[in-house]
């Protein structure tokens, strides 16, 4: 997965006030100054970078992600998708907050296998392009202060998936619901976040397969000097509908 640089819009005073203690050489900031986002010279760039890395830290973000999926049958073809995933938080005093994340597969292109499209000859190998299924997440969040200047973010809420694909070939064709949990740790050099949920299809549809899937994504950031960082963001899925060993 390749991720474009997200648009970061500051929308947080509680988390910034906590993370300022981690800044190296950062100036002290009064509460009124922290509320007066966007960040000025008194807000450490290091603090703002740490908040931008953590998707549950209370920053309004617009990540633009490009996914490359290998092994699409038949013949192990390659599929591409461009995904918008805006994150909009509302932070309250005491470290509490509400966060929404909407996943919008804006451009999805999946290869056809020969004979999969009834409108094309069986010997033609082509692909279809359009919109995928959208997902919507709402999390109640809480930040906790740990030892050694570490901060913990906890989130819990529902996930809803909508069958919004522009073509049956690009989506599951089922409404999905399930619980979601988010756990994050912010330290001086590491930022680690895990988002996990289980998705179940709603109702019955004899034309589309039932869904019972575990979905997990974790973000691992290692911060380097001068605000550079290394990042690893894998997505792991487990399909409970399949036989053991093939999930």
């Amino acid at each position: 997965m390749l991720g474009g640089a997200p648009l970061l819009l500051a929308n947080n005073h509680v988390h910034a006030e906590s993370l300022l203690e981690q800044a190296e050489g950062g100036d002290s900031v009064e509460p009124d100054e922290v509320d007066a986002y966007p960040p000025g010279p008194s807000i450490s760039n290091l603090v703002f970078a740490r908040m931008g890395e953590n998707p549950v830290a209370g920053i309004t973000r617009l990540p633009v992600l490009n996914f490359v999926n290998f092994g699409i049958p038949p013949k192990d073809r390659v599929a591409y998708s461009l995904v918008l995933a805006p994150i909009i938080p509302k932070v309250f005093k005491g470290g509490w907050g509400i966060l929404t994340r909407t996943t919008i597969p804006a451009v999805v292109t999946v290869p056809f296998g020969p004979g999969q499209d009834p409108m094309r000859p069986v010997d033609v190998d082509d692909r279809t392009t359009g919109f995928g299924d959208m997902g919507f997440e709402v999390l109640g969040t809480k930040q906790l202060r740990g030892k050694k200047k570490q901060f913990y973010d906890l989130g819990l809420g529902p996930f809803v998936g909508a069958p919004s694909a522009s073509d049956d070939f690009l989506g599951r064709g089922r409404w999905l619901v399930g619980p979601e949990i988010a756990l994050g740790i912010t330290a001086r050099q590491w930022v680690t976040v895990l988002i996990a949920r289980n998705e179940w299809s709603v109702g019955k549809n004899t034309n589309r397969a039932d869904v019972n899937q575990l979905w997990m994504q974790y973000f691992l950031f290692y911060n380097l000097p001068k605000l550079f960082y290394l990042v690893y963001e894998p997505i792991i899925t487990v399909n409970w509908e399949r036989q053991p060993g093939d999930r």
Side-chain angles (χ1 to χ4, degrees):
M1 179 187 71
L2 302 176
L7 172 66
L8 303 181
L9 305 175
N11 187 29
N12 188 333
H13 62 276
V14 176
H15 290 70
E17 189 174 13
S18 300
L19 290 174
L20 279 168
E21 298 180 5
Q22 301 182 46
E24 297 176 346
D27 298 330
S28 61
V29 180
E30 298 297 328
D32 291 342
E33 293 180 287
V34 176
D35 287 338
Y37 262 82
S42 60
I43 301 291
S44 167
N45 288 334
L46 177 64
V47 173
F48 194 57
R50 297 297 185 274
M51 294 173 64
E53 293 167 357
N54 188 344
V56 295
I59 287 286
T60 299
R61 300 152 47 97
L62 180 55
V64 180
L65 307 175
N66 180 50
F67 292 92
V68 181
N69 299 317
F70 300 93
I72 303 297
K75 297 184 180 180
D76 292 332
R77 291 171 172 80
V78 179
Y80 308 92
S81 58
L82 178 68
V83 179
L84 306 179
I87 299 173
I88 303 176
K90 175 63 177 177
V91 181
F92 307 100
K93 292 185 177 181
W96 294 94
I98 297 176
L99 179 146
T100 66
R101 183 170 77 158
T102 305
T103 304
I104 307 170
V107 179
V108 181
T109 175
V110 178
F112 281 117
Q116 287 184 282
D117 186 357
M119 302 301 295
R120 302 175 190 273
V122 296
D123 58 344
V124 174
D125 189 8
D126 206 346
R127 61 178 57 239
T128 182
T129 301
F131 295 96
D133 290 341
M134 294 178 57
F136 185 66
E137 305 152 54
V138 181
L139 296 176
T141 62
K142 170 66 176 177
Q143 187 190 65
L144 303 173
R145 185 188 302 269
K147 298 180 180 179
K148 298 181 180 180
K149 294 186 177 180
Q150 293 180 343
F151 296 88
Y152 302 93
D153 288 281
L154 308 176
L156 181 64
F159 164 82
V160 177
S164 58
S166 58
D167 190 290
D168 289 344
F169 198 67
L170 301 177
R172 294 172 173 173
R174 304 293 299 271
W175 283 94
L176 305 176
V177 297
E180 180 168 300
I181 186 172
L183 304 172
I185 302 176
T186 301
R188 180 176 297 274
Q189 201 160 19
W190 292 91
V191 176
T192 305
V193 181
L194 171 66
I195 301 175
R197 65 174 178 260
N198 204 85
E199 305 170 352
W200 289 280
S201 54
V202 178
K204 295 183 178 180
N205 187 333
T206 57
N207 297 322
R208 305 305 295 265
D210 291 336
V211 177
N212 181 7
Q213 175 179 270
L214 175 65
W215 183 97
M216 296 182 293
Q217 181 179 18
Y218 66 85
F219 304 80
L220 183 63
F221 292 86
Y222 181 76
N223 292 285
L224 303 171
K226 300 184 182 299
L227 300 182
F228 287 94
Y229 60 83
L230 302 175
V231 59
Y232 182 55
E233 301 181 18
I235 294 178
I236 302 170
T237 60
V238 180
N239 188 345
W240 304 115
E241 293 290 327
R242 293 187 178 181
Q243 296 296 322
D246 190 32
R247 292 177 170 173

